[in-house]
Amino acid sequence: MQPLFDRTRLSIKPLHARQSKSDTSCMLSPSPIPPNQIPKESLKSLERVVAAIREARKNKAPVMLAYGAHLFKNGLAPLAIQLMEQGHIQHLATNGAGSIHDWEMAFQGKTEEDVKHYIQQGQFGIWQETGGFLNLAVTLGTAQGLGYGASVGKMIAEDRLLIPDMQELRTEIIQLLESPSASNLLARKSNLLHWLQTFPTASGSIAIPHPWKQFSIQHKAYELNIPFSVCPGIGADIIYTHPWNSGCAIGEGAVQDFLSFADSVSKLEGGVFLSVGSAVMAPMIFEKAISMSRNLALQEHRFLENYHIFVIDIQPGSWDWHQGEPPKNHPAYYLRFCKSFSRMGGKFEYLEMDNRLFFQYLCQELN
């Protein structure tokens, strides 16, 4: 076996000792867009987005939103929450960073550390509450049958984590062992037992207040029972620095969230998929989910071709994707997320636009 880094030796500081670059003052409220703020060349595209969402809701087809962490750091949580409350979004997906920034804002009213500063101090991402509570929430939540996103949403909603009695947990595991039907809860609960044996923790409730939960997208999704998929990258998120991190729990929770995402994609006929500021995660998970979904649709003689994909980002996009992929000697060929989405069937359109303006327009027109 190769040597492994020992995370228990890290000096882990409390989150309140960290300086953060974003706070609740960045949060935007839905408000009318000043005249002439939207370029004329973008207006037609925006009108098509709104029309597609209205048509999808009329036909009871899903509208899905996948987004990167900058959507949250740009203060768009209140606008996304309004769209959720009004029934315009039926599934959300983000990466690990999107979940982390969301939780930190709900917990302490601020987020986003100075990477360059804390890297030099050997302290980047090594914070007790973020690493501890998020990892524990996913370990506990998955043992209850939840996915990654719902596990974090539950912690925010309840303002606590509940540590089970170890003897009762052992009894549940024995009952699952003796059950004739296989269940992945056996592995999840066994992993929780292993965690409690490794990090002895008294049973009972751990109070974790979230005074700013009104800014949490994943809390609102949990409250409204809207699927919220977290699609993390192992080692890419700061919670992997913490010794409480459990690969078993993260893996179980993330796979469950991906399969929930794929289930929504399988029902996308007549629906809309919005990808906002997600150049890697959104196209990568969508292409696997649509392939799986089309595999079943073909077996069942169903259609899965009539859906809209709208990608919103600020990277320059000079290529008209309606005419197919650009040649390899064209720079747009290497705009990876557009190239990926253009291969996914349906009707694809790229909007080069600030995501704040995009969401303000959606809220204004869909309200």
Side-chain angles (χ1 to χ4, degrees):
M1 180 181 291
Q2 298 296 320
L4 301 178
F5 190 95
D6 184 0
R7 293 176 292 189
T8 64
R9 297 174 57 202
L10 291 171
S11 172
I12 303 176
K13 293 186 178 181
L15 189 56
H16 67 75
R18 190 189 80 189
Q19 295 181 351
S20 298
K21 297 161 65 177
S22 299
D23 59 30
T24 57
S25 66
C26 77
M27 292 295 166
L28 301 177
S29 58
S31 58
I33 301 174
N36 303 320
Q37 187 171 344
I38 299 176
K40 290 184 178 179
E41 60 270 20
S42 300
L43 190 57
K44 291 295 183 183
S45 295
L46 287 169
E47 290 173 350
R48 284 193 288 272
V49 175
V50 171
I53 291 175
R54 285 177 172 156
E55 185 66 18
R57 298 314 306 131
K58 177 183 175 181
N59 296 326
K60 301 188 184 304
V63 176
M64 303 178 67
L65 168 64
Y67 64 93
H70 277 91
L71 179 146
F72 189 85
K73 291 190 289 183
N74 283 344
L76 290 169
L79 281 71
I81 287 170
Q82 175 178 296
L83 293 172
M84 295 160 65
E85 290 176 330
Q86 294 177 346
H88 297 304
I89 298 175
Q90 283 68 54
H91 198 124
L92 299 102
T94 191
N95 54 13
S99 173
I100 291 166
H101 288 304
D102 181 300
W103 178 81
E104 286 189 344
M105 190 69 80
F107 177 72
Q108 63 168 4
K110 53 187 177 180
T111 188
E112 190 182 8
E113 59 191 300
D114 187 324
V115 178
K116 183 177 181 180
H117 173 73
Y118 285 112
I119 282 285
Q120 296 301 316
Q121 296 185 0
Q123 202 62 51
F124 169 64
I126 308 175
W127 310 104
Q128 179 56 42
E129 289 82 359
T130 302
F133 289 150
L134 285 174
N135 277 306
L136 183 52
V138 176
T139 300
L140 291 167
T142 54
Q144 297 172 342
L146 301 178
Y148 187 134
S151 296
V152 179
K154 184 175 189 290
M155 171 175 62
I156 300 172
E158 298 181 353
D159 289 318
R160 68 170 188 171
L161 290 173
L162 190 60
I163 307 298
D165 177 80
M166 285 185 66
Q167 187 53 52
E168 292 179 1
L169 183 58
R170 288 191 182 95
T171 300
E172 291 178 19
I173 291 170
I174 291 171
Q175 291 173 344
L176 287 169
L177 280 168
E178 296 173 345
S179 173
S181 58
S183 170
N184 63 0
L185 279 179
L186 175 59
R188 295 174 177 216
K189 290 182 180 294
S190 298
N191 178 62
L192 174 56
L193 179 62
H194 170 71
W195 190 96
L196 291 171
Q197 291 171 334
T198 305
F199 306 104
T201 306
S203 62
S205 181
I206 301 174
I208 308 172
H210 296 87
W212 295 274
K213 68 175 67 178
Q214 73 267 30
F215 299 118
S216 169
I217 300 174
Q218 57 194 334
H219 163 252
K220 180 56 65 173
Y222 181 82
E223 185 177 75
L224 296 176
N225 197 31
I226 297 174
F228 185 95
S229 295
V230 178
C231 303
I234 298 295
D237 306 318
I238 63 172
I239 65 169
Y240 299 105
T241 65
H242 200 282
W244 286 7
N245 172 248
S246 166
C248 296
I250 295 291
E252 286 282 355
V255 168
Q256 179 164 326
D257 279 3
F258 169 68
L259 294 178
S260 172
F261 175 85
D263 182 71
S264 291
V265 170
S266 74
K267 302 166 184 172
L268 198 57
E269 179 70 15
V272 175
F273 185 81
L274 304 173
S275 174
V276 182
S278 181
V280 178
M281 182 275 295
M284 293 299 98
I285 64 171
F286 186 83
E287 70 177 7
K288 281 76 175 182
I290 194 67
S291 181
M292 294 161 61
S293 300
R294 188 164 287 123
N295 184 297
L296 290 187
L298 289 169
Q299 292 183 59
E300 298 166 0
H301 307 288
R302 290 187 290 109
F303 288 106
L304 187 52
E305 293 291 343
N306 177 33
Y307 48 85
H308 291 266
I309 301 173
F310 296 102
V311 177
I312 297 88
D313 213 302
I314 59 173
Q315 296 192 44
S318 58
W319 182 259
D320 180 5
W321 292 93
H322 294 101
Q323 57 183 313
E325 286 187 17
K328 289 187 177 181
N329 62 355
H330 193 287
Y333 180 84
Y334 301 95
L335 197 60
R336 176 72 206 191
F337 58 93
C338 279
K339 183 170 65 175
S340 293
F341 276 121
S342 72
R343 298 169 173 175
M344 299 298 107
K347 299 174 183 176
F348 164 69
E349 186 165 351
Y350 177 58
L351 288 73
E352 182 187 339
M353 177 176 291
D354 185 290
N355 55 27
R356 287 166 290 201
L357 189 59
F358 175 75
F359 267 84
Q360 286 175 317
Y361 182 87
L362 280 193
C363 286
Q364 175 180 291
E365 297 301 310
L366 290 172
N367 186 10

